[in-house]
Amino acid sequence: MTLTIAEEVLLLAYREDTGKPMIGSLELDCALAGALLAELAIRGRVGFDGKKLRVEDGAPLGDEELDATLSRIIGEARRRDASWWVGKLRMGRLRKRLLTRLAARGVLSEQEGKILGIFPTTRYPELDPRHEQGVRERVQNVLTGAEPDERTAVLFAVMHAAKLDRKAFPGAPKDRIKEIAQGQWTGEAVRKTIASVHAAVVAATTAAAVAASAGG
């Protein structure tokens, strides 16, 4: 089974036992959206004109989420920067679709319940740990000195932008994570996309804090 980078992010972000995310919704949703864009960049489907995202190749990749994202970029009347796309994509129930897909493939278990017997909630505890273990082994190899491939470098960068690295790998050396996340392991289009994830996380969390302060 081949996982997208976004699905790898999800597996690392969700606690195996409780089936709940270990970082905030804004950070996680921005990370997932950015991971989709970065994977399109890695696969040569999108690039940049300055700060604006452009389509390099409109051929489908055979993955439902990646192809739907590419189609949306193709169909947008104006060229937008990657930060705009991160904000747009994170609002479209992307996380729910990815979680449901992982559950349908037997990676996670989808468990519905109610909080206080009233409010519906869904948990996604791990069902088949082999997939996350494979991702973690790849990450650990890089943390201990192996050179990352482009996909693993993107995974590090997205985790770092969303502050997931601190939760998923609490004992990992911070300098090594930063070195990989900010290094020259990826092409220019991918680096620009990752920078947009960080910008989108900062913008989203700042806006949420301002809104909460105004509401208080």
Side-chain angles (χ1 to χ4, degrees):
M1 181 189 301
T2 301
L3 300 176
T4 63
I5 300 172
E7 288 171 326
E8 292 180 345
V9 171
L10 262 186
L11 291 183
L12 295 175
Y14 269 67
R15 300 183 188 278
E16 295 87 348
D17 50 356
T18 65
K20 292 292 184 179
M22 61 180 71
I23 61 173
S25 293
L26 284 172
E27 291 88 344
L28 179 53
D29 291 340
C30 286
L32 296 176
L36 286 180
L37 294 178
E39 187 146 0
L40 289 176
I42 286 175
R43 299 200 188 191
R45 295 307 191 266
V46 298
F48 282 84
D49 274 333
K51 293 184 178 181
K52 303 296 183 181
L53 204 66
R54 70 162 182 253
V55 175
E56 301 280 12
D57 183 350
L61 292 161
D63 179 273
E64 186 177 45
E65 283 297 334
L66 291 172
D67 289 343
T69 302
L70 182 59
S71 292
R72 289 185 68 178
I73 296 171
I74 292 171
E76 177 64 26
R78 295 173 55 191
R79 284 190 178 176
R80 308 283 188 171
D81 61 32
S83 293
W84 186 90
W85 277 111
V86 168
K88 191 76 170 177
L89 294 170
R90 77 173 180 85
M91 300 295 289
R93 294 178 62 82
L94 169 61
R95 186 181 358 152
K96 174 65 174 176
R97 292 196 304 275
L98 291 175
L99 286 168
T100 299
R101 185 164 83 165
L102 287 171
R105 295 160 81 183
V107 180
L108 303 176
S109 173
E110 191 171 39
Q111 300 178 1
E112 296 182 352
K114 291 186 177 181
I115 299 175
L116 301 177
I118 301 173
F119 306 104
T121 183
T122 307
R123 299 168 59 247
Y124 293 90
E126 198 165 65
L127 189 61
D128 185 347
R130 292 174 298 172
H131 305 284
E132 182 180 350
Q133 287 171 359
V135 176
R136 286 186 170 276
E137 287 174 6
R138 205 170 84 235
V139 169
Q140 290 292 351
N141 286 338
V142 172
L143 286 173
T144 54
E147 184 171 314
D149 58 25
E150 199 166 27
R151 287 178 59 85
T152 306
V154 167
L155 180 61
F156 268 89
V158 171
M159 286 196 298
H160 187 62
K163 299 182 175 64
L164 173 58
D165 53 334
R166 307 174 189 177
K167 299 287 187 177
F169 300 94
K174 295 180 181 179
D175 289 347
R176 177 60 174 162
I177 290 178
K178 188 174 181 180
E179 174 192 1
I180 299 163
Q182 299 180 357
Q184 302 300 306
W185 313 102
T186 60
E188 182 183 9
V190 177
R191 288 198 299 274
K192 286 185 176 181
T193 302
I194 295 303
S196 76
V197 177
H198 183 268
V201 168
V202 172
T205 52
T206 299
V210 170
S213 176

